[in-house]
Amino acid sequence: MSADIAKMKQRLALMLVVSAVVFVAAGAGFYLYFGQGQSWGRWVAVVALAIGFAGQIGLVLSLRRDSKGA
């Protein structure tokens, strides 16, 4: 693990914010698709979920990259 705990906490906080935003966006997309019958709502949800997964993978890879240098 990286010795820079402050940097790790900052990345985790950023990931939590990104996850919260994409969770709300995906929920809104599902509501639009299933509740309001808007066909484009499903794509909002899919894109939001893809961004969320990409952010999670980016966090893990950045922590892994930093641990190799330690």
Side-chain angles (χ1 to χ4, degrees), residues 44-69:
V44 171
V46 168
V47 168
L49 291 173
I51 291 170
F53 285 129
Q56 293 284 336
I57 291 169
L59 174 69
V60 171
L61 291 178
S62 72
L63 294 174
R64 185 173 180 209
R65 179 186 64 231
D66 286 349
S67 70
K68 286 186 177 183

Side-chain angles (χ1 to χ4, degrees), residues 30-54:
F30 284 127
Y31 172 74
L32 287 170
Y33 182 66
F34 291 113
Q36 301 297 317
Q38 300 291 326
S39 62
W40 55 270
R42 121 182 88 171
W43 297 112
V44 171
V46 168
V47 168
L49 291 173
I51 291 170
F53 285 129

Side-chain angles (χ1 to χ4, degrees), residues 2-24:
S2 173
D4 192 1
I5 300 297
K7 187 188 298 184
M8 290 172 55
K9 285 183 179 180
Q10 182 181 13
R11 287 182 183 160
L12 179 62
L14 178 63
M15 188 64 248
L16 290 173
V17 169
V18 169
S19 293
V21 169
V22 298
F23 178 77
V24 170

